[in-house]
């Protein structure tokens, strides 16, 4: 089965510094990977996806993610963090096993940007 | 364009009762997905409906069930509620692309 792992439960970054939220994946076949963000008491918002093509994917709110096949990673990045980026971030992979067509999510990483 | 709407926002039930949660997808989206987000457990896949049929089910007991109506809206039913069913239940819709999530229903079982 497809799966993703987010090795860090929490990441703290100073405002203005670059941020990275890590994700590794385990899939058979080509991975379809996603990043979502969740603000308090809200649903998840789509940030970006990787299907195929360029390894650097640009998304919403200045976020980007780098797909690395050799390291089976899909880390989320932003050059300069804002306090408003503080939220819960989820990496996900599409699982099409036996026609499932569902997203499998990581456990989430809580990102805190300190002023 | 209206997003995915879920109702009610909050629901408090007693152990043993039944809960019904509702979801209206984005207009034109035929697929509806249900997830449970319990504290400390991330998002767990519950059910996937498409074109009125249940297409896939996560590792949950049969007392979790649902349906999709002809207008593609969906209902999640949880019977014989247990304390550990307390969670945020998220609905998402899709037309083959990225999911769009609703804001969820917070179910509290006391």
């Amino acid at each position: 089965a497809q799966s993703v792992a987010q090795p860090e439960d929490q990441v703290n970054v100073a405002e203005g510094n670059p941020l990275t939220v890590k994700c590794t994946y385990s899939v058979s076949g080509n991975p379809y990977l996603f990043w979502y963000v969740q603000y308090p008491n809200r649903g998840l918002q789509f940030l970006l996806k990787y299907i195929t093509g360029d390894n650097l994917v640009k998304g919403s709110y200045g976020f980007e993610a780098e797909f690395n096949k050799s390291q089976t990673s899909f880390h989320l990045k932003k050059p300069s963090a804002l306090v408003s980026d503080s939220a819960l971030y989820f990496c996900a992979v599409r699982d099409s096993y036996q026609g499932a067509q569902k997203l499998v999510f990581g456990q989430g990483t809580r990102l805190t940007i300190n002023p | 364009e209206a997003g995915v709407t879920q109702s009610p926002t909050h629901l408090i039930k007693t152990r043993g009762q039944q809960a019904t949660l509702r979801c209206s997808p984005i207009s034109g989206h035929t697929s509806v997905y249900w997830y449970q987000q319990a504290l400390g457990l991330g998002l767990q896949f519950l059910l996937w409906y498409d074109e009125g049929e249940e297409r896939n089910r996560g590792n949950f007991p049969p007392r979790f069930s649902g349906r999709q109506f002809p207008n593609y809206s969906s209902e999640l039913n949880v019977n014989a509620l247990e304390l550990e069913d307390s969670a945020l239940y998220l609905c998402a819709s899709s037309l083959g692309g990225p999911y769009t999530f609703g804001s969820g229903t917070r179910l509290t079982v006391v």
Side-chain angles (χ1 to χ4, degrees):
Chain A
Q2 324 286 51
S3 67
V4 290
Q6 295 180 243
E8 300 159 318
D9 290 337
Q10 190 155 340
V11 171
N12 294 295
V13 176
E15 186 178 23
N17 282 2
L19 69 87
T20 299
V21 183
K22 296 179 180 177
C23 173
T24 59
Y25 64 87
S26 174
V27 304
S28 53
N30 295 320
Y32 286 7
L33 296 162
F34 302 80
W35 275 102
Y36 283 81
V37 60
Q38 186 179 31
Y39 296 100
N41 300 313
R42 300 289 299 277
L44 276 68
Q45 296 178 28
F46 170 73
L47 281 177
L48 51 80
K49 67 180 178 183
Y50 173 83
I51 305 296
T52 186
D54 287 342
N55 289 340
L56 187 63
V57 179
K58 294 193 180 296
S60 306
Y61 312 120
F63 283 93
E64 57 191 25
E66 186 172 9
F67 174 73
N68 188 316
K69 188 173 183 177
S70 63
Q71 297 184 4
T72 62
S73 67
F74 188 56
H75 299 335
L76 181 71
K77 300 182 179 187
K78 187 172 183 180
S80 180
L82 300 172
V83 173
S84 57
D85 293 330
S86 298
L88 190 56
Y89 289 80
F90 289 95
C91 179
V93 63
R94 193 170 82 180
D95 183 355
S96 302
Y97 180 66
Q98 294 185 337
Q101 296 294 337
K102 65 178 186 281
L103 287 185
V104 176
F105 288 86
Q107 288 294 95
T109 298
R110 185 163 300 282
L111 175 65
T112 301
I113 308 301
N114 303 302
Chain B
E1 175 186 79
V4 175
T5 57
Q6 291 187 244
S7 63
T9 307
H10 294 86
L11 190 58
I12 300 175
K13 291 286 186 179
T14 304
R15 190 171 50 184
Q17 285 187 317
Q18 179 197 40
T20 298
L21 288 63
R22 296 180 177 83
C23 173
S24 293
I26 287 177
S27 178
H29 284 192
T30 60
S31 280
V32 170
Y33 303 81
W34 287 95
Y35 284 82
Q36 183 195 64
Q37 186 177 19
L39 202 60
L41 292 178
L43 281 92
Q44 305 296 316
F45 169 73
L46 268 165
L47 290 158
W48 169 37
Y49 291 95
D50 183 60
E51 297 284 1
E53 300 286 333
E54 180 181 305
R55 301 296 183 180
N56 196 241
R57 182 182 183 83
N59 189 25
F60 280 83
R63 57 191 187 83
F64 286 83
S65 65
R67 52 181 171 165
Q68 186 178 36
F69 299 98
N71 65 354
Y72 302 119
S73 67
S74 177
E75 211 171 72
L76 173 68
N77 294 293
V78 188
N79 293 320
L81 284 165
E82 300 178 2
L83 296 178
E84 50 265 35
D85 297 332
S86 295
L88 181 66
Y89 289 83
L90 292 168
C91 169
S93 73
S94 168
L95 192 57
Y99 293 7
T100 301
F101 281 84
S103 295
T105 293
R106 173 76 60 185
L107 173 63
T108 302
V109 183
V110 297

